[in-house]
Amino acid sequence: MMANGALVRVLIRTSVTKYLNFKAVDGSFVYNNGKIHKVPATDVEALKSNLMGLFEKRRARKFFIYVQDYEEDDAKSHEGLDLHKVTTRELISKYGLEDDTVDFIGHALALHRDDNYLDEPAIDTVKRMKLYAESLARFQGGSPYIYPLYGLGELPQAFARLSAVYGGTYMLNKPECKVEFDESGKAFGVTSEGETAKCKKVVCDPSYLPDKVKKVGRVARAICIMKHPIPDTKDSHSVQIILPKKQLKRKSDMYVFCCSYAHNVAPKGKFVAFVSTEAETDKPEIELKPGIDLLGPVEETFFDMYDRFEPVNAAEEDNCFLTTSYDATTHFETTVKDVLALYSKITGKELDLSVDLNAASAGENDAA
């Protein structure tokens, strides 16, 4: 997750960080012309990057300086451009950047999932780039990302602990949960094993209410077990690699995330890599090959495909608040947007995310 991103802010805002330990992710890479390269995020990194030729580095450096200096409430930093009106394409053309450079900025830095952003106001892309650079500066590491020690299962566990403090009850692994509706079609409880828990609102993922969702896509995913770090990542124990769709001649990006025993998610000497993308065929082995090929020798691979759903119900009519299925991204930016939108729907309030980011730290070995 992005060190200064929305998910970390949510975890701090809810005090869940008291029950979580993070560790910085070692590297952030992008796939370009058959190789992986470190993602440059600042003017200094742009000059060092082997992603670009000499003249392109200078152009990119100027663009990065503009983004770094840009402040929304300081007109001097805008250089006469209203980024709420100017499109990203127009802003980038001012600096004359090449297509490959635009590709890694849009997909590996700003984390856009398609190229629609090019014709949308540039303010969003500039804010995303600033978030990346600020997150990168936060821990002086090789990437802007942090990851929980002991893996993502720690997130629900930390929420469960906090919930208990406020009198919440968790019941895990309950079989065949059925949402109960009254005559007017409003949900009033959930039944499992002959017991009904009464409620005013039901919050669930699409699998619980298949008649209230529509299929919007599929995700292909591979989990690979290795004995070594990913080649060409400077022996990093944890990395994210983004493979932009244009580089793969696909309709969507591919994501690789690798972590290891350094994050306490595998036995000593073992590495776990996840490769995922929006599925375009029924053959994940073939579709995910470009990502898996970057991993070097793999001991064991598990393939999975699952459908993605979006809710189509009216929550105010049936009291059911459904999430959207996880997409192929590995960085949670889209998931958190969905959760925040759901929070506003349920409570009628916006969650205030202005928090003291120092409440979540990530060290070399451990973090609080």
Side-chain angles (χ1 to χ4, degrees), residues 2-4 14 29 50 57 75-76 108 118 128 134 161 173 189 192 197 214 223 260 270 296 336 367:
M2 201 69 90
N4 276 19
T14 52
F29 293 82
N50 54 3
K57 279 182 183 177
K76 279 196 210 116
L118 287 166
R128 284 165 173 252
E134 287 158 9
R161 286 178 184 166
N173 206 21
S192 172
K214 64 171 183 186
I223 300 172
S260 72
K270 297 281 187 186
V336 156

mmCIF file of all heavy atoms in Angstrom, residues 2-4 14 29 50 57 75-76 108 118 128 134 161 173 189 192 197 214 223 260 270 296 336 367:
data_model
loop_
_atom_site.group_PDB
_atom_site.id
_atom_site.type_symbol
_atom_site.label_atom_id
_atom_site.label_comp_id
_atom_site.label_asym_id
_atom_site.label_seq_id
_atom_site.Cartn_x
_atom_site.Cartn_y
_atom_site.Cartn_z
ATOM 1 N N MET A 2 0.403 2.307 -0.667
ATOM 2 C CA MET A 2 1.159 3.555 -0.751
ATOM 3 C C MET A 2 1.348 4.143 0.645
ATOM 4 O O MET A 2 0.384 4.291 1.399
ATOM 5 C CB MET A 2 0.351 4.507 -1.636
ATOM 6 C CG MET A 2 1.127 5.615 -2.250
ATOM 7 S SD MET A 2 2.307 5.133 -3.496
ATOM 8 C CE MET A 2 1.361 5.209 -4.972
ATOM 9 N N ALA A 3 2.595 4.476 1.004
ATOM 10 C CA ALA A 3 2.903 4.886 2.387
ATOM 11 C C ALA A 3 2.085 6.096 2.841
ATOM 12 O O ALA A 3 1.750 6.212 4.019
ATOM 13 C CB ALA A 3 4.398 5.171 2.520
ATOM 14 N N ASN A 4 1.775 7.016 1.924
ATOM 15 C CA ASN A 4 0.963 8.186 2.281
ATOM 16 C C ASN A 4 -0.445 8.069 1.709
ATOM 17 O O ASN A 4 -1.179 9.044 1.673
ATOM 18 C CB ASN A 4 1.602 9.472 1.727
ATOM 19 C CG ASN A 4 2.668 10.016 2.647
ATOM 20 O OD1 ASN A 4 3.171 9.290 3.492
ATOM 21 N ND2 ASN A 4 3.017 11.271 2.496
ATOM 22 N N THR A 14 -8.696 5.123 12.014
ATOM 23 C CA THR A 14 -9.492 4.174 12.808
ATOM 24 C C THR A 14 -8.689 3.562 13.963
ATOM 25 O O THR A 14 -9.194 2.697 14.672
ATOM 26 C CB THR A 14 -10.001 3.031 11.904
ATOM 27 O OG1 THR A 14 -8.888 2.477 11.199
ATOM 28 C CG2 THR A 14 -11.024 3.510 10.907
ATOM 29 N N PHE A 29 9.264 -1.165 -9.599
ATOM 30 C CA PHE A 29 9.836 -1.312 -10.938
ATOM 31 C C PHE A 29 8.758 -1.237 -12.011
ATOM 32 O O PHE A 29 7.575 -1.423 -11.736
ATOM 33 C CB PHE A 29 10.567 -2.663 -11.056
ATOM 34 C CG PHE A 29 11.795 -2.766 -10.187
ATOM 35 C CD1 PHE A 29 11.691 -3.105 -8.837
ATOM 36 C CD2 PHE A 29 13.060 -2.505 -10.699
ATOM 37 C CE1 PHE A 29 12.810 -3.199 -8.023
ATOM 38 C CE2 PHE A 29 14.189 -2.591 -9.891
ATOM 39 C CZ PHE A 29 14.061 -2.936 -8.556
ATOM 40 N N ASN A 50 17.877 4.482 -16.319
ATOM 41 C CA ASN A 50 18.286 3.915 -17.614
ATOM 42 C C ASN A 50 17.065 3.637 -18.494
ATOM 43 O O ASN A 50 17.150 2.947 -19.492
ATOM 44 C CB ASN A 50 19.103 2.634 -17.399
ATOM 45 C CG ASN A 50 18.374 1.620 -16.534
ATOM 46 O OD1 ASN A 50 17.227 1.848 -16.142
ATOM 47 N ND2 ASN A 50 19.030 0.511 -16.238
ATOM 48 N N LYS A 57 15.844 12.359 -20.656
ATOM 49 C CA LYS A 57 16.035 12.527 -19.210
ATOM 50 C C LYS A 57 15.859 13.989 -18.820
ATOM 51 O O LYS A 57 15.240 14.305 -17.803
ATOM 52 C CB LYS A 57 17.443 12.069 -18.806
ATOM 53 C CG LYS A 57 17.580 10.577 -18.638
ATOM 54 C CD LYS A 57 18.989 10.238 -18.206
ATOM 55 C CE LYS A 57 19.145 8.725 -18.115
ATOM 56 N NZ LYS A 57 20.492 8.323 -17.778
ATOM 57 N N ALA A 75 -0.660 30.002 -7.065
ATOM 58 C CA ALA A 75 -0.790 30.235 -8.513
ATOM 59 C C ALA A 75 0.571 30.333 -9.207
ATOM 60 O O ALA A 75 0.711 29.987 -10.382
ATOM 61 C CB ALA A 75 -1.607 31.503 -8.770
ATOM 62 N N LYS A 76 1.592 30.802 -8.470
ATOM 63 C CA LYS A 76 2.931 30.943 -9.087
ATOM 64 C C LYS A 76 3.454 29.602 -9.578
ATOM 65 O O LYS A 76 4.184 29.525 -10.557
ATOM 66 C CB LYS A 76 3.914 31.515 -8.056
ATOM 67 C CG LYS A 76 3.837 33.020 -7.890
ATOM 68 C CD LYS A 76 5.088 33.526 -7.154
ATOM 69 C CE LYS A 76 4.749 34.772 -6.337
ATOM 70 N NZ LYS A 76 4.902 34.565 -4.892
ATOM 71 N N ALA A 108 2.945 3.390 -13.935
ATOM 72 C CA ALA A 108 3.763 2.915 -12.809
ATOM 73 C C ALA A 108 3.924 3.969 -11.713
ATOM 74 O O ALA A 108 4.204 3.646 -10.574
ATOM 75 C CB ALA A 108 5.136 2.476 -13.309
ATOM 76 N N LEU A 118 -5.377 10.428 -20.012
ATOM 77 C CA LEU A 118 -4.703 11.386 -20.904
ATOM 78 C C LEU A 118 -5.645 12.503 -21.344
ATOM 79 O O LEU A 118 -5.218 13.632 -21.594
ATOM 80 C CB LEU A 118 -4.130 10.664 -22.135
ATOM 81 C CG LEU A 118 -2.896 9.802 -21.853
ATOM 82 C CD1 LEU A 118 -2.599 8.874 -23.017
ATOM 83 C CD2 LEU A 118 -1.677 10.669 -21.530
ATOM 84 N N ARG A 128 -1.569 12.321 -8.126
ATOM 85 C CA ARG A 128 -1.138 10.929 -7.974
ATOM 86 C C ARG A 128 0.389 10.835 -7.992
ATOM 87 O O ARG A 128 0.991 10.070 -7.232
ATOM 88 C CB ARG A 128 -1.713 10.073 -9.111
ATOM 89 C CG ARG A 128 -3.195 9.742 -8.948
ATOM 90 C CD ARG A 128 -3.756 9.234 -10.278
ATOM 91 N NE ARG A 128 -5.113 8.739 -10.182
ATOM 92 C CZ ARG A 128 -5.469 7.454 -10.246
ATOM 93 N NH1 ARG A 128 -4.536 6.515 -10.376
ATOM 94 N NH2 ARG A 128 -6.717 7.089 -10.172
ATOM 95 N N GLU A 134 5.860 11.661 -2.464
ATOM 96 C CA GLU A 134 5.809 11.885 -1.009
ATOM 97 C C GLU A 134 5.919 10.559 -0.251
ATOM 98 O O GLU A 134 6.581 10.468 0.780
ATOM 99 C CB GLU A 134 4.493 12.582 -0.629
ATOM 100 C CG GLU A 134 4.440 14.052 -1.024
ATOM 101 C CD GLU A 134 3.002 14.562 -1.149
ATOM 102 O OE1 GLU A 134 2.066 13.830 -0.764
ATOM 103 O OE2 GLU A 134 2.831 15.687 -1.658
ATOM 104 N N ARG A 161 -9.645 -6.974 16.369
ATOM 105 C CA ARG A 161 -9.211 -6.591 17.724
ATOM 106 C C ARG A 161 -9.829 -5.262 18.130
ATOM 107 O O ARG A 161 -10.309 -5.091 19.251
ATOM 108 C CB ARG A 161 -7.680 -6.469 17.757
ATOM 109 C CG ARG A 161 -6.975 -7.804 17.741
ATOM 110 C CD ARG A 161 -5.481 -7.576 17.732
ATOM 111 N NE ARG A 161 -4.745 -8.811 17.614
ATOM 112 C CZ ARG A 161 -3.464 -8.880 17.324
ATOM 113 N NH1 ARG A 161 -2.781 -7.782 17.106
ATOM 114 N NH2 ARG A 161 -2.850 -10.035 17.238
ATOM 115 N N ASN A 173 -15.818 -18.080 9.614
ATOM 116 C CA ASN A 173 -16.049 -19.362 8.933
ATOM 117 C C ASN A 173 -17.470 -19.899 9.153
ATOM 118 O O ASN A 173 -17.678 -21.089 9.303
ATOM 119 C CB ASN A 173 -15.012 -20.392 9.426
ATOM 120 C CG ASN A 173 -14.780 -21.468 8.373
ATOM 121 O OD1 ASN A 173 -15.065 -21.253 7.197
ATOM 122 N ND2 ASN A 173 -14.286 -22.614 8.781
ATOM 123 N N GLY A 189 -31.660 -9.259 8.590
ATOM 124 C CA GLY A 189 -30.785 -10.149 9.349
ATOM 125 C C GLY A 189 -30.037 -11.124 8.466
ATOM 126 O O GLY A 189 -30.232 -11.154 7.244
ATOM 127 N N SER A 192 -27.461 -18.297 9.785
ATOM 128 C CA SER A 192 -26.486 -19.360 9.560
ATOM 129 C C SER A 192 -26.678 -20.400 10.654
ATOM 130 O O SER A 192 -26.856 -20.049 11.824
ATOM 131 C CB SER A 192 -25.065 -18.800 9.623
ATOM 132 O OG SER A 192 -24.131 -19.859 9.587
ATOM 133 N N ALA A 197 -28.939 -13.448 13.049
ATOM 134 C CA ALA A 197 -28.443 -12.213 13.668
ATOM 135 C C ALA A 197 -29.230 -11.068 13.053
ATOM 136 O O ALA A 197 -29.218 -10.894 11.829
ATOM 137 C CB ALA A 197 -26.948 -12.056 13.393
ATOM 138 N N LYS A 214 -23.765 -7.398 -10.969
ATOM 139 C CA LYS A 214 -23.562 -7.772 -12.379
ATOM 140 C C LYS A 214 -22.081 -8.058 -12.593
ATOM 141 O O LYS A 214 -21.206 -7.452 -11.943
ATOM 142 C CB LYS A 214 -24.023 -6.652 -13.315
ATOM 143 C CG LYS A 214 -23.212 -5.379 -13.167
ATOM 144 C CD LYS A 214 -23.544 -4.357 -14.242
ATOM 145 C CE LYS A 214 -22.642 -3.127 -14.066
ATOM 146 N NZ LYS A 214 -22.925 -2.027 -14.931
ATOM 147 N N ILE A 223 0.036 -17.485 -8.192
ATOM 148 C CA ILE A 223 0.866 -17.373 -6.988
ATOM 149 C C ILE A 223 2.054 -18.299 -7.201
ATOM 150 O O ILE A 223 1.879 -19.487 -7.462
ATOM 151 C CB ILE A 223 0.081 -17.781 -5.723
ATOM 152 C CG1 ILE A 223 -1.139 -16.885 -5.552
ATOM 153 C CG2 ILE A 223 0.979 -17.706 -4.484
ATOM 154 C CD1 ILE A 223 -2.081 -17.321 -4.438
ATOM 155 N N SER A 260 8.636 -11.926 0.914
ATOM 156 C CA SER A 260 9.454 -13.072 1.319
ATOM 157 C C SER A 260 9.416 -13.256 2.827
ATOM 158 O O SER A 260 8.615 -12.625 3.515
ATOM 159 C CB SER A 260 10.907 -12.828 0.900
ATOM 160 O OG SER A 260 11.463 -11.825 1.743
ATOM 161 N N LYS A 270 12.451 -18.520 1.411
ATOM 162 C CA LYS A 270 11.397 -18.640 0.380
ATOM 163 C C LYS A 270 10.831 -17.266 0.011
ATOM 164 O O LYS A 270 10.747 -16.370 0.855
ATOM 165 C CB LYS A 270 10.238 -19.513 0.883
ATOM 166 C CG LYS A 270 10.634 -20.946 1.167
ATOM 167 C CD LYS A 270 10.736 -21.768 -0.095
ATOM 168 C CE LYS A 270 10.970 -23.236 0.257
ATOM 169 N NZ LYS A 270 11.209 -24.056 -0.910
ATOM 170 N N GLY A 296 12.271 -15.731 -12.891
ATOM 171 C CA GLY A 296 13.350 -16.719 -12.823
ATOM 172 C C GLY A 296 12.762 -18.085 -12.492
ATOM 173 O O GLY A 296 11.558 -18.294 -12.607
ATOM 174 N N VAL A 336 -9.688 0.976 -1.748
ATOM 175 C CA VAL A 336 -9.955 1.959 -0.714
ATOM 176 C C VAL A 336 -10.996 2.985 -1.177
ATOM 177 O O VAL A 336 -11.849 3.400 -0.407
ATOM 178 C CB VAL A 336 -8.635 2.638 -0.301
ATOM 179 C CG1 VAL A 336 -8.848 3.992 0.285
ATOM 180 C CG2 VAL A 336 -7.981 1.788 0.758
ATOM 181 N N ALA A 367 8.181 -2.352 12.300
ATOM 182 C CA ALA A 367 7.576 -1.036 12.335
ATOM 183 C C ALA A 367 6.354 -1.058 13.209
ATOM 184 O O ALA A 367 5.786 -2.102 13.482
ATOM 185 C CB ALA A 367 7.192 -0.659 10.913
#
